[in-house]
Amino acid sequence: MRIDKMLANLGFGSRKEVKKLLKDGAVKVNDQPVKDAKLHVNPKDDTVTLNGEVIEYKEFIYLMMNKPPGVISATEDSYDQTVVDLLEFEDSVYSPFPVGRLDKDTEGLLLITNDGQLSHRLLSPKKHVPKTYFAVIDQEVSEGDISAFKKGVTLDDGYVTKPADLKIIKSGIRSDIELTITEGKFHQVKRMFEAVGKKVIYLKRLTMGPLSLDESLELGEYRELTDEEIQQLIEYEAN
Ligand code: URA
């Protein structure tokens, strides 16, 4: 691959800007300064540095974030901070985007990647990817709610939800529950509880398909998926 293309693909500037970096002597390949934009490099074997920093070339990036409340699941927003604003420059150069949306006030597992095909397949309504949420509900949650969610409840727009698995973790004047759904309608968990006359007062996503939230991540922190997690995700998405 041409060195200018590699650097431009990684987000270090347009081809023209990258040419200038080369001309200024900022780029070295295997410790040799390189000025020729046409030089071919093998991203796997050659060591490319920009201002002394080694540049890792990979096509795809897969990040798991523990999304904090108050941040939008989008790449840009006119008012609020987005999950992409929370990324380090070295990760944002890959132009990743969140796979699906969590509401502004929802916390927890968010996959952020630049793998459009994987994202598309995981979000496909045909795929029925299970997602498990932990929620705090404003009142007692009953066995009746478990049966209602198993059958499907009618949302405010008339849509009848697919069977969902509700587990009561602690029932009381405020209840802790876990709910697994296989679809992703707008505000789905909140609207399902509204359909049975209850309100979600806290919501956190725990799993999505084969991925589980790494509980060692503080709110707003993220990490790359491990090779094993990427493998599981790719296998899951292919089946
Ligand atoms: N369901 C909701 O209501 N909100 C979310 O953020 C995710 C699922």
Side-chain angles (χ1 to χ4, degrees), residues 56 58-64 111-115 118-119 122 208-212 223-239:
E56 200 193 336
K58 51 192 170 197
E59 190 179 4
F60 295 125
I61 188 166
Y62 303 92
L63 306 170
M64 169 192 294
L111 174 64
I112 302 175
T113 183
N114 58 351
D115 185 341
L118 180 109
S119 166
L122 286 175
M208 180 167 130
L211 284 185
S212 291
R223 65 159 170 81
E224 283 202 47
L225 295 192
T226 61
D227 289 346
E228 199 187 340
E229 284 169 332
I230 296 173
Q231 205 47 46
Q232 285 168 349
L233 202 56
I234 290 171
E235 276 167 22
Y236 181 87
E237 170 263 323
N239 288 317

Side-chain angles (χ1 to χ4, degrees), residues 6-217:
M6 173 183 165
L7 292 169
N9 282 358
L10 284 174
F12 290 104
S14 61
R15 285 275 186 106
K16 200 169 153 205
E17 285 159 342
V18 163
K19 266 202 180 86
K20 182 158 184 331
L21 288 173
L22 288 157
K23 202 164 147 251
D24 293 346
V27 181
K28 285 185 182 168
V29 176
N30 303 327
D31 268 343
Q32 298 302 313
V34 166
K35 301 209 167 180
D36 179 7
K38 294 198 201 94
L39 180 91
H40 274 256
V41 285
N42 178 343
K44 282 206 188 82
D45 301 331
D46 294 320
T47 304
V48 179
T49 59
L50 175 65
N51 296 320
E53 297 267 344
V54 175
I55 291 167
E56 200 193 336
Y57 185 79
K58 51 192 170 197
E59 190 179 4
F60 295 125
I61 188 166
Y62 303 92
L63 306 170
M64 169 192 294
M65 178 180 280
N66 185 1
K67 180 194 168 296
V71 171
I72 308 282
S73 305
T75 50
E76 47 187 47
D77 191 85
S78 330
Y79 300 101
D80 291 298
Q81 205 178 26
T82 71
V83 289
V84 166
D85 293 332
L86 300 179
L87 303 181
E88 303 279 341
F89 174 72
E90 65 197 55
D91 298 312
S92 64
V93 290
Y94 290 93
S95 307
F97 50 86
V99 176
R101 277 174 173 262
L102 289 177
D103 296 337
K104 185 174 170 184
D105 59 353
T106 302
E107 299 178 6
L109 176 66
L110 188 65
L111 174 64
I112 302 175
T113 183
N114 58 351
D115 185 341
Q117 197 178 18
L118 180 109
S119 166
H120 185 73
R121 293 210 184 132
L122 286 175
L123 294 177
S124 160
K126 288 190 212 119
K127 189 82 191 159
H128 307 303
V129 175
K131 285 155 286 222
T132 301
Y133 294 85
F134 168 81
V136 180
I137 309 301
D138 70 336
Q139 52 188 284
E140 202 159 324
V141 174
S142 65
E143 293 295 322
D145 296 326
I146 296 180
S147 327
F149 282 9
K150 195 167 273 163
K151 275 199 227 117
V153 288
T154 307
L155 302 184
D156 47 11
D157 58 0
Y159 177 79
V160 180
T161 57
K162 299 231 152 39
D165 186 28
L166 174 61
K167 285 196 178 73
I168 301 170
I169 296 171
K170 196 183 86 190
S171 192
I173 48 162
R174 280 189 171 191
S175 306
D176 292 350
I177 63 93
E178 276 183 21
L179 178 64
T180 303
I181 56 175
T182 57
E183 40 187 359
K185 302 281 169 217
F186 186 59
H187 298 326
Q188 181 153 349
V189 175
K190 291 173 186 165
R191 289 163 71 214
M192 285 176 75
F193 277 97
E194 270 162 28
V196 292
K198 293 168 191 167
K199 198 166 180 302
V200 171
I201 49 182
Y202 171 82
L203 188 61
K204 172 183 180 178
R205 184 156 64 192
L206 303 175
T207 72
M208 180 167 130
L211 284 185
S212 291
L213 178 66
D214 178 342
E215 296 281 355
S216 73
L217 292 172

